[in-house]
Amino acid sequence: MEEFNDTINLGEEVVKVLKTIYDPEIPVDIYELGLIYDVFVNEDFDVKILMTLTSPNCPVAETLPKEVEEKIKKIGEVKGCEVEITFDPPWSKDLMSEEAKLELGML
């Protein structure tokens, strides 16, 4: 397993892991979907992820944040992971990457 000696490399690895997690209703990963608002990594390698859901009534509101937290904690150097859900600003299709829009036939 790769060793991370700084927060930037670890942050990039966190993004790679986030790109392996999919919204079960949409065939696009949560990163490209624009559900991840921010990733914070401090010097102690604690990770905090600020994310949203496609809607407050999202069927995976309970399970998706837990999945994100569990997968991030599996990265060797991560000491802890906190996932915070926000609806400010609310998610919209504008937050999706060009890649995601292309995948979903929106371009």
Side-chain angles (χ1 to χ4, degrees):
M1 183 168 225
E2 196 177 337
E3 290 251 341
F4 299 99
N5 53 7
D6 64 51
T7 55
I8 301 211
N9 287 348
L10 185 55
E12 288 171 359
E13 185 62 21
V14 167
V15 168
K16 278 186 202 162
V17 171
L18 292 171
K19 287 184 175 190
T20 69
I21 302 171
Y22 286 78
D23 183 304
E25 298 180 339
I26 308 168
V28 173
D29 70 75
I30 61 172
Y31 191 83
E32 297 296 336
L33 209 49
L35 297 182
I36 304 299
Y37 286 169
D38 222 331
V39 174
F40 306 96
V41 180
N42 70 15
E43 289 76 30
D44 296 327
F45 295 146
D46 285 313
V47 176
K48 181 174 181 185
I49 295 173
L50 184 63
M51 68 176 287
T52 193
L53 301 167
T54 51
S55 85
N57 308 327
C58 180
V60 292
E62 292 296 311
T63 57
L64 193 60
K66 282 186 178 61
E67 181 183 354
V68 168
E69 187 178 321
E70 286 166 8
K71 287 194 173 172
I72 297 306
K73 283 181 175 174
K74 286 182 182 166
I75 300 171
E77 278 70 24
V78 170
K79 299 282 185 286
C81 178
E82 179 190 343
V83 176
E84 184 180 325
I85 300 290
T86 184
F87 292 101
D88 181 28
W91 180 83
S92 75
K93 291 178 181 143
D94 298 338
L95 296 169
M96 292 168 55
S97 69
E98 296 290 307
E99 192 178 306
K101 289 177 184 170
L102 193 63
E103 179 81 26
L104 297 174
M106 295 178 170
L107 285 181

